[in-house]
């Protein structure tokens, strides 16, 4: 692949990711939840059984202090709560509240809305094939914002 082709590929992938992030966030807000894309990136990690602030910081690619500030904000908005960590008495586990799970469901609906035009343009089987190919390239994430 030529350098210019590689650059064009990265540009369209980044544009698609940016558009999806914005459309999902707009859809979440339209469904009555306040927030910003960073919330969704945090919820992606927290939905897998919770996380410590340190684990969340690693997932988001930020400092522990930045992750702690984000968690404080999410607690104030009622999306998460801190609980005793079941395996470490010194640590606190950050978990989604019912409001956080409702916001996550709203994001799933918004994601379906965001991808619908792709299905209309390419067809369902092509979109599934695209998903499968991209999953081979980046199977584990992490899904994190481009700060």
């Amino acid at each position: 692949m030529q350098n210019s082709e590689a650059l064009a590929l990265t540009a369209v992938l980044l544009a698609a990711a940016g558009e999806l992030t914005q459309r999902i966030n707009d859809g979440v807000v339209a469904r009555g939840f306040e927030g910003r894309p960073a919330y969704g990136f945090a919820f992606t990690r927290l939905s897998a059984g919770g996380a410590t602030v340190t684990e969340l910081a690693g997932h988001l690619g930020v400092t522990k202090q930045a992750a702690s500030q984000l968690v404080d904000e999410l607690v104030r908005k009622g999306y998460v709560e801190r609980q005793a960590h079941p395996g470490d008495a010194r640590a606190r586990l950050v978990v989604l509240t019912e409001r956080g799970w409702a916001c996550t469901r709203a994001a799933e609906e918004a994601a379906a809305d965001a991808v619908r035009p792709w299905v209309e343009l390419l067809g369902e089987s092509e979109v599934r094939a695209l998903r499968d190919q991209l999953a081979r390239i980046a199977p584990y994430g992490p899904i994190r914002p481009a700060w």
Side-chain angles (χ1 to χ4, degrees), residues 73-110:
E73 185 177 338
L74 293 172
V75 167
R76 281 194 305 275
K77 294 181 185 288
Y79 291 121
V80 303
E81 63 185 9
R82 291 180 177 95
Q83 297 179 348
H85 193 288
D88 184 349
R90 298 168 294 147
R92 303 285 289 164
L93 194 64
V94 180
V95 298
L96 293 173
T97 62
E98 182 50 45
R99 178 171 165 76
W101 283 111
C103 186
T104 299
R105 289 188 295 275
E108 289 174 0
E109 293 169 5

PDB file of all heavy atoms in Angstrom, residues 73-110:
ATOM      1  N   GLU A  73     -17.280  13.502  38.740  1.00  0.00           N
ATOM      2  CA  GLU A  73     -18.320  14.104  37.905  1.00  0.00           C
ATOM      3  C   GLU A  73     -19.455  13.107  37.652  1.00  0.00           C
ATOM      4  O   GLU A  73     -20.637  13.449  37.746  1.00  0.00           O
ATOM      5  CB  GLU A  73     -17.691  14.559  36.588  1.00  0.00           C
ATOM      6  CG  GLU A  73     -18.607  15.300  35.662  1.00  0.00           C
ATOM      7  CD  GLU A  73     -17.879  15.785  34.408  1.00  0.00           C
ATOM      8  OE1 GLU A  73     -16.638  15.922  34.426  1.00  0.00           O
ATOM      9  OE2 GLU A  73     -18.566  16.011  33.414  1.00  0.00           O
ATOM     10  N   LEU A  74     -19.096  11.863  37.348  1.00  0.00           N
ATOM     11  CA  LEU A  74     -20.107  10.838  37.080  1.00  0.00           C
ATOM     12  C   LEU A  74     -20.909  10.500  38.337  1.00  0.00           C
ATOM     13  O   LEU A  74     -22.114  10.230  38.252  1.00  0.00           O
ATOM     14  CB  LEU A  74     -19.438   9.583  36.506  1.00  0.00           C
ATOM     15  CG  LEU A  74     -18.822   9.744  35.120  1.00  0.00           C
ATOM     16  CD1 LEU A  74     -18.013   8.502  34.746  1.00  0.00           C
ATOM     17  CD2 LEU A  74     -19.887  10.029  34.077  1.00  0.00           C
ATOM     18  N   VAL A  75     -20.266  10.532  39.507  1.00  0.00           N
ATOM     19  CA  VAL A  75     -20.977  10.313  40.771  1.00  0.00           C
ATOM     20  C   VAL A  75     -21.973  11.440  40.992  1.00  0.00           C
ATOM     21  O   VAL A  75     -23.140  11.196  41.327  1.00  0.00           O
ATOM     22  CB  VAL A  75     -19.984  10.192  41.955  1.00  0.00           C
ATOM     23  CG1 VAL A  75     -20.717  10.278  43.295  1.00  0.00           C
ATOM     24  CG2 VAL A  75     -19.193   8.899  41.865  1.00  0.00           C
ATOM     25  N   ARG A  76     -21.538  12.697  40.809  1.00  0.00           N
ATOM     26  CA  ARG A  76     -22.427  13.848  41.004  1.00  0.00           C
ATOM     27  C   ARG A  76     -23.655  13.772  40.100  1.00  0.00           C
ATOM     28  O   ARG A  76     -24.744  14.166  40.486  1.00  0.00           O
ATOM     29  CB  ARG A  76     -21.683  15.161  40.731  1.00  0.00           C
ATOM     30  CG  ARG A  76     -20.802  15.629  41.861  1.00  0.00           C
ATOM     31  CD  ARG A  76     -20.350  17.075  41.685  1.00  0.00           C
ATOM     32  NE  ARG A  76     -19.689  17.318  40.405  1.00  0.00           N
ATOM     33  CZ  ARG A  76     -18.397  17.116  40.161  1.00  0.00           C
ATOM     34  NH1 ARG A  76     -17.617  16.631  41.117  1.00  0.00           N
ATOM     35  NH2 ARG A  76     -17.872  17.373  38.985  1.00  0.00           N
ATOM     36  N   LYS A  77     -23.475  13.255  38.893  1.00  0.00           N
ATOM     37  CA  LYS A  77     -24.581  13.163  37.933  1.00  0.00           C
ATOM     38  C   LYS A  77     -25.418  11.896  38.129  1.00  0.00           C
ATOM     39  O   LYS A  77     -26.409  11.694  37.432  1.00  0.00           O
ATOM     40  CB  LYS A  77     -24.049  13.258  36.515  1.00  0.00           C
ATOM     41  CG  LYS A  77     -23.452  14.632  36.223  1.00  0.00           C
ATOM     42  CD  LYS A  77     -22.957  14.727  34.810  1.00  0.00           C
ATOM     43  CE  LYS A  77     -22.256  16.049  34.573  1.00  0.00           C
ATOM     44  NZ  LYS A  77     -23.131  17.178  34.509  1.00  0.00           N
ATOM     45  N   GLY A  78     -25.007  11.035  39.049  1.00  0.00           N
ATOM     46  CA  GLY A  78     -25.780   9.853  39.366  1.00  0.00           C
ATOM     47  C   GLY A  78     -25.570   8.673  38.436  1.00  0.00           C
ATOM     48  O   GLY A  78     -26.341   7.707  38.469  1.00  0.00           O
ATOM     49  N   TYR A  79     -24.510   8.693  37.635  1.00  0.00           N
ATOM     50  CA  TYR A  79     -24.243   7.611  36.691  1.00  0.00           C
ATOM     51  C   TYR A  79     -23.465   6.444  37.298  1.00  0.00           C
ATOM     52  O   TYR A  79     -23.574   5.318  36.833  1.00  0.00           O
ATOM     53  CB  TYR A  79     -23.475   8.125  35.475  1.00  0.00           C
ATOM     54  CG  TYR A  79     -24.274   9.045  34.581  1.00  0.00           C
ATOM     55  CD1 TYR A  79     -23.849  10.344  34.336  1.00  0.00           C
ATOM     56  CD2 TYR A  79     -25.433   8.615  33.968  1.00  0.00           C
ATOM     57  CE1 TYR A  79     -24.558  11.185  33.509  1.00  0.00           C
ATOM     58  CE2 TYR A  79     -26.164   9.450  33.137  1.00  0.00           C
ATOM     59  CZ  TYR A  79     -25.720  10.740  32.908  1.00  0.00           C
ATOM     60  OH  TYR A  79     -26.439  11.569  32.091  1.00  0.00           O
ATOM     61  N   VAL A  80     -22.642   6.731  38.300  1.00  0.00           N
ATOM     62  CA  VAL A  80     -21.824   5.689  38.925  1.00  0.00           C
ATOM     63  C   VAL A  80     -21.831   5.888  40.433  1.00  0.00           C
ATOM     64  O   VAL A  80     -22.209   6.949  40.937  1.00  0.00           O
ATOM     65  CB  VAL A  80     -20.357   5.685  38.415  1.00  0.00           C
ATOM     66  CG1 VAL A  80     -20.284   5.532  36.906  1.00  0.00           C
ATOM     67  CG2 VAL A  80     -19.612   6.925  38.872  1.00  0.00           C
ATOM     68  N   GLU A  81     -21.384   4.845  41.120  1.00  0.00           N
ATOM     69  CA  GLU A  81     -21.169   4.946  42.559  1.00  0.00           C
ATOM     70  C   GLU A  81     -19.904   4.178  42.902  1.00  0.00           C
ATOM     71  O   GLU A  81     -19.473   3.298  42.152  1.00  0.00           O
ATOM     72  CB  GLU A  81     -22.368   4.404  43.337  1.00  0.00           C
ATOM     73  CG  GLU A  81     -22.641   2.934  43.133  1.00  0.00           C
ATOM     74  CD  GLU A  81     -23.910   2.462  43.829  1.00  0.00           C
ATOM     75  OE1 GLU A  81     -24.687   3.294  44.343  1.00  0.00           O
ATOM     76  OE2 GLU A  81     -24.125   1.236  43.855  1.00  0.00           O
ATOM     77  N   ARG A  82     -19.331   4.553  44.023  1.00  0.00           N
ATOM     78  CA  ARG A  82     -18.157   3.844  44.525  1.00  0.00           C
ATOM     79  C   ARG A  82     -18.633   2.826  45.546  1.00  0.00           C
ATOM     80  O   ARG A  82     -19.445   3.133  46.414  1.00  0.00           O
ATOM     81  CB  ARG A  82     -17.183   4.829  45.171  1.00  0.00           C
ATOM     82  CG  ARG A  82     -16.514   5.760  44.193  1.00  0.00           C
ATOM     83  CD  ARG A  82     -15.567   6.701  44.939  1.00  0.00           C
ATOM     84  NE  ARG A  82     -14.853   7.577  44.051  1.00  0.00           N
ATOM     85  CZ  ARG A  82     -15.232   8.825  43.748  1.00  0.00           C
ATOM     86  NH1 ARG A  82     -16.339   9.331  44.265  1.00  0.00           N
ATOM     87  NH2 ARG A  82     -14.510   9.570  42.934  1.00  0.00           N
ATOM     88  N   GLN A  83     -18.085   1.616  45.442  1.00  0.00           N
ATOM     89  CA  GLN A  83     -18.409   0.546  46.378  1.00  0.00           C
ATOM     90  C   GLN A  83     -17.120  -0.036  46.922  1.00  0.00           C
ATOM     91  O   GLN A  83     -16.055   0.143  46.347  1.00  0.00           O
ATOM     92  CB  GLN A  83     -19.200  -0.566  45.669  1.00  0.00           C
ATOM     93  CG  GLN A  83     -20.525  -0.151  45.126  1.00  0.00           C
ATOM     94  CD  GLN A  83     -21.238  -1.305  44.422  1.00  0.00           C
ATOM     95  OE1 GLN A  83     -20.658  -2.356  44.157  1.00  0.00           O
ATOM     96  NE2 GLN A  83     -22.505  -1.084  44.110  1.00  0.00           N
ATOM     97  N   ALA A  84     -17.254  -0.764  48.019  1.00  0.00           N
ATOM     98  CA  ALA A  84     -16.100  -1.484  48.545  1.00  0.00           C
ATOM     99  C   ALA A  84     -15.652  -2.501  47.500  1.00  0.00           C
ATOM    100  O   ALA A  84     -16.476  -3.141  46.852  1.00  0.00           O
ATOM    101  CB  ALA A  84     -16.471  -2.192  49.846  1.00  0.00           C
ATOM    102  N   HIS A  85     -14.352  -2.605  47.322  1.00  0.00           N
ATOM    103  CA  HIS A  85     -13.802  -3.575  46.370  1.00  0.00           C
ATOM    104  C   HIS A  85     -13.853  -4.957  47.018  1.00  0.00           C
ATOM    105  O   HIS A  85     -13.385  -5.131  48.142  1.00  0.00           O
ATOM    106  CB  HIS A  85     -12.367  -3.204  46.014  1.00  0.00           C
ATOM    107  CG  HIS A  85     -11.829  -3.929  44.834  1.00  0.00           C
ATOM    108  ND1 HIS A  85     -11.499  -5.266  44.884  1.00  0.00           N
ATOM    109  CD2 HIS A  85     -11.568  -3.512  43.576  1.00  0.00           C
ATOM    110  CE1 HIS A  85     -11.063  -5.646  43.702  1.00  0.00           C
ATOM    111  NE2 HIS A  85     -11.092  -4.594  42.889  1.00  0.00           N
ATOM    112  N   PRO A  86     -14.402  -5.950  46.331  1.00  0.00           N
ATOM    113  CA  PRO A  86     -14.538  -7.267  46.952  1.00  0.00           C
ATOM    114  C   PRO A  86     -13.213  -7.983  47.215  1.00  0.00           C
ATOM    115  O   PRO A  86     -13.143  -8.847  48.089  1.00  0.00           O
ATOM    116  CB  PRO A  86     -15.375  -8.061  45.937  1.00  0.00           C
ATOM    117  CG  PRO A  86     -15.193  -7.358  44.642  1.00  0.00           C
ATOM    118  CD  PRO A  86     -14.955  -5.912  44.984  1.00  0.00           C
ATOM    119  N   GLY A  87     -12.155  -7.599  46.506  1.00  0.00           N
ATOM    120  CA  GLY A  87     -10.893  -8.305  46.669  1.00  0.00           C
ATOM    121  C   GLY A  87      -9.771  -7.489  47.262  1.00  0.00           C
ATOM    122  O   GLY A  87      -8.671  -8.004  47.465  1.00  0.00           O
ATOM    123  N   ASP A  88     -10.019  -6.199  47.550  1.00  0.00           N
ATOM    124  CA  ASP A  88      -8.963  -5.331  48.058  1.00  0.00           C
ATOM    125  C   ASP A  88      -9.590  -4.302  48.990  1.00  0.00           C
ATOM    126  O   ASP A  88     -10.263  -3.370  48.527  1.00  0.00           O
ATOM    127  CB  ASP A  88      -8.250  -4.638  46.891  1.00  0.00           C
ATOM    128  CG  ASP A  88      -7.073  -3.776  47.319  1.00  0.00           C
ATOM    129  OD1 ASP A  88      -6.905  -3.527  48.536  1.00  0.00           O
ATOM    130  OD2 ASP A  88      -6.319  -3.338  46.433  1.00  0.00           O
ATOM    131  N   ALA A  89      -9.375  -4.458  50.266  1.00  0.00           N
ATOM    132  CA  ALA A  89     -10.003  -3.576  51.251  1.00  0.00           C
ATOM    133  C   ALA A  89      -9.566  -2.116  51.100  1.00  0.00           C
ATOM    134  O   ALA A  89     -10.270  -1.207  51.532  1.00  0.00           O
ATOM    135  CB  ALA A  89      -9.685  -4.068  52.665  1.00  0.00           C
ATOM    136  N   ARG A  90      -8.416  -1.879  50.457  1.00  0.00           N
ATOM    137  CA  ARG A  90      -7.929  -0.506  50.288  1.00  0.00           C
ATOM    138  C   ARG A  90      -8.522   0.185  49.070  1.00  0.00           C
ATOM    139  O   ARG A  90      -8.486   1.406  48.976  1.00  0.00           O
ATOM    140  CB  ARG A  90      -6.405  -0.507  50.160  1.00  0.00           C
ATOM    141  CG  ARG A  90      -5.688  -1.043  51.381  1.00  0.00           C
ATOM    142  CD  ARG A  90      -4.217  -1.301  51.100  1.00  0.00           C
ATOM    143  NE  ARG A  90      -4.115  -2.390  50.130  1.00  0.00           N
ATOM    144  CZ  ARG A  90      -3.183  -2.507  49.202  1.00  0.00           C
ATOM    145  NH1 ARG A  90      -2.223  -1.628  49.126  1.00  0.00           N
ATOM    146  NH2 ARG A  90      -3.187  -3.525  48.373  1.00  0.00           N
ATOM    147  N   ALA A  91      -9.064  -0.584  48.152  1.00  0.00           N
ATOM    148  CA  ALA A  91      -9.531  -0.022  46.883  1.00  0.00           C
ATOM    149  C   ALA A  91     -11.048   0.180  46.892  1.00  0.00           C
ATOM    150  O   ALA A  91     -11.769  -0.432  47.673  1.00  0.00           O
ATOM    151  CB  ALA A  91      -9.145  -0.950  45.736  1.00  0.00           C
ATOM    152  N   ARG A  92     -11.491   1.042  46.008  1.00  0.00           N
ATOM    153  CA  ARG A  92     -12.916   1.276  45.794  1.00  0.00           C
ATOM    154  C   ARG A  92     -13.230   0.876  44.362  1.00  0.00           C
ATOM    155  O   ARG A  92     -12.472   1.159  43.436  1.00  0.00           O
ATOM    156  CB  ARG A  92     -13.277   2.745  46.000  1.00  0.00           C
ATOM    157  CG  ARG A  92     -12.903   3.286  47.371  1.00  0.00           C
ATOM    158  CD  ARG A  92     -13.799   2.839  48.477  1.00  0.00           C
ATOM    159  NE  ARG A  92     -15.085   3.497  48.346  1.00  0.00           N
ATOM    160  CZ  ARG A  92     -16.179   3.115  48.967  1.00  0.00           C
ATOM    161  NH1 ARG A  92     -16.152   2.081  49.763  1.00  0.00           N
ATOM    162  NH2 ARG A  92     -17.300   3.755  48.807  1.00  0.00           N
ATOM    163  N   LEU A  93     -14.360   0.221  44.174  1.00  0.00           N
ATOM    164  CA  LEU A  93     -14.806  -0.201  42.855  1.00  0.00           C
ATOM    165  C   LEU A  93     -15.839   0.803  42.368  1.00  0.00           C
ATOM    166  O   LEU A  93     -16.780   1.134  43.084  1.00  0.00           O
ATOM    167  CB  LEU A  93     -15.422  -1.606  42.949  1.00  0.00           C
ATOM    168  CG  LEU A  93     -15.657  -2.349  41.648  1.00  0.00           C
ATOM    169  CD1 LEU A  93     -14.334  -2.639  40.941  1.00  0.00           C
ATOM    170  CD2 LEU A  93     -16.393  -3.660  41.928  1.00  0.00           C
ATOM    171  N   VAL A  94     -15.648   1.299  41.153  1.00  0.00           N
ATOM    172  CA  VAL A  94     -16.600   2.229  40.534  1.00  0.00           C
ATOM    173  C   VAL A  94     -17.528   1.394  39.666  1.00  0.00           C
ATOM    174  O   VAL A  94     -17.063   0.647  38.793  1.00  0.00           O
ATOM    175  CB  VAL A  94     -15.868   3.295  39.690  1.00  0.00           C
ATOM    176  CG1 VAL A  94     -16.861   4.258  39.057  1.00  0.00           C
ATOM    177  CG2 VAL A  94     -14.842   4.044  40.543  1.00  0.00           C
ATOM    178  N   VAL A  95     -18.831   1.494  39.918  1.00  0.00           N
ATOM    179  CA  VAL A  95     -19.812   0.702  39.170  1.00  0.00           C
ATOM    180  C   VAL A  95     -20.924   1.608  38.665  1.00  0.00           C
ATOM    181  O   VAL A  95     -21.203   2.663  39.239  1.00  0.00           O
ATOM    182  CB  VAL A  95     -20.411  -0.443  40.023  1.00  0.00           C
ATOM    183  CG1 VAL A  95     -19.340  -1.436  40.451  1.00  0.00           C
ATOM    184  CG2 VAL A  95     -21.135   0.103  41.225  1.00  0.00           C
ATOM    185  N   LEU A  96     -21.552   1.169  37.586  1.00  0.00           N
ATOM    186  CA  LEU A  96     -22.679   1.916  37.036  1.00  0.00           C
ATOM    187  C   LEU A  96     -23.891   1.790  37.958  1.00  0.00           C
ATOM    188  O   LEU A  96     -24.156   0.720  38.507  1.00  0.00           O
ATOM    189  CB  LEU A  96     -23.050   1.375  35.653  1.00  0.00           C
ATOM    190  CG  LEU A  96     -22.031   1.586  34.540  1.00  0.00           C
ATOM    191  CD1 LEU A  96     -22.461   0.843  33.284  1.00  0.00           C
ATOM    192  CD2 LEU A  96     -21.856   3.065  34.244  1.00  0.00           C
ATOM    193  N   THR A  97     -24.623   2.885  38.103  1.00  0.00           N
ATOM    194  CA  THR A  97     -25.903   2.868  38.801  1.00  0.00           C
ATOM    195  C   THR A  97     -26.991   2.516  37.784  1.00  0.00           C
ATOM    196  O   THR A  97     -26.713   2.377  36.582  1.00  0.00           O
ATOM    197  CB  THR A  97     -26.213   4.254  39.389  1.00  0.00           C
ATOM    198  OG1 THR A  97     -26.321   5.189  38.301  1.00  0.00           O
ATOM    199  CG2 THR A  97     -25.152   4.699  40.391  1.00  0.00           C
ATOM    200  N   GLU A  98     -28.222   2.433  38.229  1.00  0.00           N
ATOM    201  CA  GLU A  98     -29.322   2.188  37.293  1.00  0.00           C
ATOM    202  C   GLU A  98     -29.379   3.304  36.251  1.00  0.00           C
ATOM    203  O   GLU A  98     -29.618   3.044  35.081  1.00  0.00           O
ATOM    204  CB  GLU A  98     -30.659   2.058  38.027  1.00  0.00           C
ATOM    205  CG  GLU A  98     -31.819   1.743  37.094  1.00  0.00           C
ATOM    206  CD  GLU A  98     -31.567   0.570  36.137  1.00  0.00           C
ATOM    207  OE1 GLU A  98     -31.050  -0.473  36.567  1.00  0.00           O
ATOM    208  OE2 GLU A  98     -31.889   0.702  34.929  1.00  0.00           O
ATOM    209  N   ARG A  99     -29.126   4.545  36.669  1.00  0.00           N
ATOM    210  CA  ARG A  99     -29.098   5.664  35.711  1.00  0.00           C
ATOM    211  C   ARG A  99     -27.961   5.461  34.704  1.00  0.00           C
ATOM    212  O   ARG A  99     -28.114   5.740  33.519  1.00  0.00           O
ATOM    213  CB  ARG A  99     -28.943   6.989  36.450  1.00  0.00           C
ATOM    214  CG  ARG A  99     -28.856   8.203  35.553  1.00  0.00           C
ATOM    215  CD  ARG A  99     -28.929   9.481  36.383  1.00  0.00           C
ATOM    216  NE  ARG A  99     -28.521  10.644  35.643  1.00  0.00           N
ATOM    217  CZ  ARG A  99     -29.247  11.258  34.724  1.00  0.00           C
ATOM    218  NH1 ARG A  99     -30.434  10.813  34.421  1.00  0.00           N
ATOM    219  NH2 ARG A  99     -28.773  12.330  34.095  1.00  0.00           N
ATOM    220  N   GLY A 100     -26.820   4.980  35.159  1.00  0.00           N
ATOM    221  CA  GLY A 100     -25.705   4.696  34.256  1.00  0.00           C
ATOM    222  C   GLY A 100     -26.058   3.607  33.259  1.00  0.00           C
ATOM    223  O   GLY A 100     -25.720   3.697  32.079  1.00  0.00           O
ATOM    224  N   TRP A 101     -26.725   2.553  33.729  1.00  0.00           N
ATOM    225  CA  TRP A 101     -27.152   1.480  32.816  1.00  0.00           C
ATOM    226  C   TRP A 101     -28.195   1.995  31.828  1.00  0.00           C
ATOM    227  O   TRP A 101     -28.168   1.623  30.647  1.00  0.00           O
ATOM    228  CB  TRP A 101     -27.698   0.286  33.607  1.00  0.00           C
ATOM    229  CG  TRP A 101     -26.611  -0.541  34.213  1.00  0.00           C
ATOM    230  CD1 TRP A 101     -26.309  -0.670  35.532  1.00  0.00           C
ATOM    231  CD2 TRP A 101     -25.657  -1.343  33.515  1.00  0.00           C
ATOM    232  NE1 TRP A 101     -25.223  -1.504  35.700  1.00  0.00           N
ATOM    233  CE2 TRP A 101     -24.803  -1.936  34.473  1.00  0.00           C
ATOM    234  CE3 TRP A 101     -25.433  -1.612  32.168  1.00  0.00           C
ATOM    235  CZ2 TRP A 101     -23.757  -2.788  34.126  1.00  0.00           C
ATOM    236  CZ3 TRP A 101     -24.385  -2.463  31.828  1.00  0.00           C
ATOM    237  CH2 TRP A 101     -23.560  -3.035  32.800  1.00  0.00           C
ATOM    238  N   ALA A 102     -29.099   2.862  32.277  1.00  0.00           N
ATOM    239  CA  ALA A 102     -30.099   3.433  31.368  1.00  0.00           C
ATOM    240  C   ALA A 102     -29.418   4.282  30.298  1.00  0.00           C
ATOM    241  O   ALA A 102     -29.799   4.245  29.118  1.00  0.00           O
ATOM    242  CB  ALA A 102     -31.119   4.262  32.153  1.00  0.00           C
ATOM    243  N   CYS A 103     -28.390   5.024  30.690  1.00  0.00           N
ATOM    244  CA  CYS A 103     -27.632   5.819  29.734  1.00  0.00           C
ATOM    245  C   CYS A 103     -26.909   4.915  28.736  1.00  0.00           C
ATOM    246  O   CYS A 103     -26.849   5.206  27.542  1.00  0.00           O
ATOM    247  CB  CYS A 103     -26.647   6.718  30.478  1.00  0.00           C
ATOM    248  SG  CYS A 103     -25.758   7.870  29.424  1.00  0.00           S
ATOM    249  N   THR A 104     -26.400   3.796  29.228  1.00  0.00           N
ATOM    250  CA  THR A 104     -25.732   2.830  28.354  1.00  0.00           C
ATOM    251  C   THR A 104     -26.711   2.258  27.338  1.00  0.00           C
ATOM    252  O   THR A 104     -26.385   2.113  26.152  1.00  0.00           O
ATOM    253  CB  THR A 104     -25.095   1.708  29.203  1.00  0.00           C
ATOM    254  OG1 THR A 104     -24.117   2.299  30.068  1.00  0.00           O
ATOM    255  CG2 THR A 104     -24.422   0.665  28.345  1.00  0.00           C
ATOM    256  N   ARG A 105     -27.931   1.955  27.784  1.00  0.00           N
ATOM    257  CA  ARG A 105     -28.957   1.457  26.846  1.00  0.00           C
ATOM    258  C   ARG A 105     -29.308   2.527  25.816  1.00  0.00           C
ATOM    259  O   ARG A 105     -29.506   2.233  24.629  1.00  0.00           O
ATOM    260  CB  ARG A 105     -30.190   0.989  27.615  1.00  0.00           C
ATOM    261  CG  ARG A 105     -29.944  -0.309  28.388  1.00  0.00           C
ATOM    262  CD  ARG A 105     -31.219  -0.871  28.994  1.00  0.00           C
ATOM    263  NE  ARG A 105     -31.812  -0.019  30.011  1.00  0.00           N
ATOM    264  CZ  ARG A 105     -31.466  -0.028  31.299  1.00  0.00           C
ATOM    265  NH1 ARG A 105     -30.528  -0.862  31.731  1.00  0.00           N
ATOM    266  NH2 ARG A 105     -32.071   0.770  32.162  1.00  0.00           N
ATOM    267  N   ALA A 106     -29.357   3.784  26.246  1.00  0.00           N
ATOM    268  CA  ALA A 106     -29.621   4.881  25.312  1.00  0.00           C
ATOM    269  C   ALA A 106     -28.494   4.987  24.277  1.00  0.00           C
ATOM    270  O   ALA A 106     -28.745   5.252  23.097  1.00  0.00           O
ATOM    271  CB  ALA A 106     -29.775   6.200  26.071  1.00  0.00           C
ATOM    272  N   ALA A 107     -27.261   4.751  24.706  1.00  0.00           N
ATOM    273  CA  ALA A 107     -26.124   4.776  23.782  1.00  0.00           C
ATOM    274  C   ALA A 107     -26.216   3.634  22.774  1.00  0.00           C
ATOM    275  O   ALA A 107     -25.884   3.813  21.591  1.00  0.00           O
ATOM    276  CB  ALA A 107     -24.807   4.703  24.548  1.00  0.00           C
ATOM    277  N   GLU A 108     -26.676   2.466  23.216  1.00  0.00           N
ATOM    278  CA  GLU A 108     -26.858   1.343  22.290  1.00  0.00           C
ATOM    279  C   GLU A 108     -27.897   1.687  21.226  1.00  0.00           C
ATOM    280  O   GLU A 108     -27.708   1.396  20.043  1.00  0.00           O
ATOM    281  CB  GLU A 108     -27.277   0.088  23.060  1.00  0.00           C
ATOM    282  CG  GLU A 108     -26.183  -0.506  23.910  1.00  0.00           C
ATOM    283  CD  GLU A 108     -26.664  -1.660  24.782  1.00  0.00           C
ATOM    284  OE1 GLU A 108     -27.863  -2.014  24.723  1.00  0.00           O
ATOM    285  OE2 GLU A 108     -25.832  -2.210  25.514  1.00  0.00           O
ATOM    286  N   GLU A 109     -28.996   2.312  21.643  1.00  0.00           N
ATOM    287  CA  GLU A 109     -30.023   2.733  20.690  1.00  0.00           C
ATOM    288  C   GLU A 109     -29.461   3.786  19.731  1.00  0.00           C
ATOM    289  O   GLU A 109     -29.708   3.732  18.518  1.00  0.00           O
ATOM    290  CB  GLU A 109     -31.230   3.303  21.430  1.00  0.00           C
ATOM    291  CG  GLU A 109     -31.987   2.299  22.252  1.00  0.00           C
ATOM    292  CD  GLU A 109     -33.021   2.953  23.173  1.00  0.00           C
ATOM    293  OE1 GLU A 109     -33.213   4.185  23.106  1.00  0.00           O
ATOM    294  OE2 GLU A 109     -33.634   2.211  23.969  1.00  0.00           O
ATOM    295  N   ALA A 110     -28.714   4.727  20.265  1.00  0.00           N
ATOM    296  CA  ALA A 110     -28.122   5.776  19.429  1.00  0.00           C
ATOM    297  C   ALA A 110     -27.103   5.192  18.460  1.00  0.00           C
ATOM    298  O   ALA A 110     -27.001   5.645  17.308  1.00  0.00           O
ATOM    299  CB  ALA A 110     -27.469   6.846  20.312  1.00  0.00           C
TER     300      ALA A 110
END
